C-alpha cells in the first residue's frame, strides 16, 4: 500500500476507502502525521493551543479522460498517495481530481508537477483544502446513489455496447478500485456469487503498488455475465467499472507486477 503511517485515531492508510465517508459524516479532521515528523501535534507552549498540520491534498485539472488511479500514481511517482478522487459533472469525468498525500510536506513536491505532461496533456496542480475534498466526496456519493446518469452520457452508449458484445470467459476485470481495497472488499462487492480469495487477483505495478485494478474468476461464463449488472456500482464512495476479460489478460497483468 502507499501509506504505511498511522492516523491520529489509530487507523492506517489501508482503511482510507472505508473510512472516507465515515470521517466526513463525523466531521473529524483527516490528515496524516509521521512519528518523529515536525508536523505532529506539539504540547501547548505559552498558553497557545496546539495547531494541527494542514490537510495534505492537491487538486489536479486537465487530466486525460481515460485517466486511472495508476496514472496519477505514476505522475506523482515517489510521493505517498493515500487517496485519489476523480470528479464527475453531469455523469461524466470532468478531467479533475483530488489527490490526498500522506504528509503535508509532500504537497510542495506535488506542486512542482504543475503543468507537466500526463500522456499528451499537461496537468495543472493546485493547493486545495480539506473542505473542498469533502464536498467533492459528498457530490460523488450523492451522484452515484441517485439515478445512473453516467449510463446516459454521450460516451457511454458505444462504451456499453462494446461491453455487451465482448466475449465472456468467466473472468472480469475491475477498474477504479481504491488503492486500499483488499480481497475482502472485492468479495463483499460480489457477495451474491460463490467466490473465494483465490479467485480474486489484485494487480500491482513493478514497484509492488496497487494499480487500482483487479481480476476476478467466476465459476462460469453465466456468473460473469450476471455480475456485469454491478458495472459502475460503488465500492465505498468509488464507482467500479467492469470489463469482460480472459485468463490470458489476468496472467499478463499479474506477471507484470512481479
Amino acid at each position: 500500500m502507499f501509506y504505511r503511517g498511522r492516523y491520529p485515531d489509530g487507523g492506517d492508510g489501508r482503511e482510507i476507502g472505508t473510512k472516507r465517508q465515515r470521517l466526513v459524516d463525523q466531521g473529524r479532521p483527516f490528515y496524516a502525521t509521521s512519528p518523529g515528523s515536525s508536523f505532529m501535534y506539539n504540547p501547548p507552549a505559552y498558553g497557545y493551543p496546539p495547531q494541527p498540520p494542514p490537510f495534505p491534498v492537491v487538486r489536479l485539472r486537465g487530466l486525460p479522460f481515460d485517466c486511472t488511479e495508476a496514472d496519477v500514481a505514476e505522475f506523482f511517482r515517489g510521493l505517498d498517495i493515500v487517496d485519489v478522487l476523480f470528479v464527475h459533472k453531469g455523469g461524466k469525468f470532468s478531467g479533475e481530481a483530488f489527490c490526498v498525500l500522506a504528509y503535508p510536506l509532500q504537497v510542495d513536491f506535488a506542486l512542482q508537477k504543475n503543468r507537466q505532461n500526463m500522456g499528451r496533456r499537461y496537468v495543472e496542480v493546485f493547493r486545495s483544502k480539506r473542505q473542498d475534498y469533502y464536498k467533492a466526496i459528498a457530490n460523488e456519493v450523492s451522484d452515484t446513489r441517485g439515478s445512473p446518469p453516467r449510463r446516459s452520457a454521450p460516451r457511454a452508449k458505444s462504451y456499453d455496447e462494446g461491453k455487451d458484445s465482448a466475449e465472456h470467459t468467466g473472468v472480469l476485470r475491475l477498474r477504479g478500485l481504491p488503492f486500499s481495497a483488499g480481497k475482502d472488499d472485492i468479495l463483499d462487492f460480489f457477495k451474491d456469487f460463490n467466490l473465494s480469495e483465490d479467485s480474486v487477483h489484485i494487480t500491482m505495478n513493478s514497484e509492488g503498488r496497487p494499480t487500482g485494478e483487479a481480476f476476478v474468476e467466476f465459476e462460469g461464463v453465466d456468473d460473469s455475465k450476471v455480475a456485469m449488472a454491478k458495472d459502475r456500482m460503488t465500492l465505498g464512495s468509488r464507482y467500479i467499472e467492469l470489463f469482460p476479460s480472459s485468463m490470458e489478460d489476468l496472467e499478463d497483468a499479474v506477471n507484470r507486477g512481479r
Side-chain angles (χ1 to χ4, degrees), residues 184-246:
D184 289 344
D185 299 306
I186 295 173
L187 290 172
D188 186 60
F189 185 73
F190 290 117
K191 60 186 175 184
D192 297 328
F193 299 87
N194 185 24
L195 299 173
S196 67
E197 286 194 5
D198 291 338
S199 61
V200 178
H201 308 269
I202 298 175
T203 61
M204 304 288 178
N205 62 21
S206 59
E207 297 179 349
R209 295 177 171 178
T211 63
E213 297 190 359
F215 290 80
V216 177
E217 299 178 67
F218 290 83
E219 288 191 329
V221 172
D222 291 340
D223 280 356
S224 69
K225 287 182 178 179
V226 173
M228 282 297 297
K230 298 186 73 68
D231 182 34
R232 302 184 196 179
M233 288 189 179
T234 56
L235 194 162
S237 61
R238 302 296 305 277
Y239 79 93
I240 308 300
E241 293 181 281
L242 303 180
F243 303 85
S245 191
S246 66

Side-chain angles (χ1 to χ4, degrees), residues 175-187:
R175 186 171 73 182
L177 291 167
F179 287 137
S180 59
K183 290 189 176 184
D184 289 344
D185 299 306
I186 295 173
L187 290 172

Side-chain angles (χ1 to χ4, degrees), residues 85-138:
L85 177 71
F86 293 109
V87 178
H88 296 82
K89 294 179 181 179
K92 296 186 293 184
F93 178 44
S94 66
E96 297 189 7
F98 289 87
C99 182
V100 181
L101 302 164
Y103 310 108
L105 182 62
Q106 291 191 341
V107 169
D108 291 329
F109 290 101
L111 292 173
Q112 294 177 15
K113 301 289 289 184
N114 184 40
R115 294 184 176 273
Q116 293 193 22
N117 278 42
M118 181 183 293
R120 295 183 178 181
R121 303 192 61 173
Y122 76 86
V123 177
E124 296 178 280
V125 183
F126 306 90
R127 291 186 186 275
S128 192
K129 299 179 181 179
R130 180 176 58 200
Q131 53 266 40
D132 294 333
Y133 170 68
Y134 281 174
K135 183 178 179 180
I137 292 173

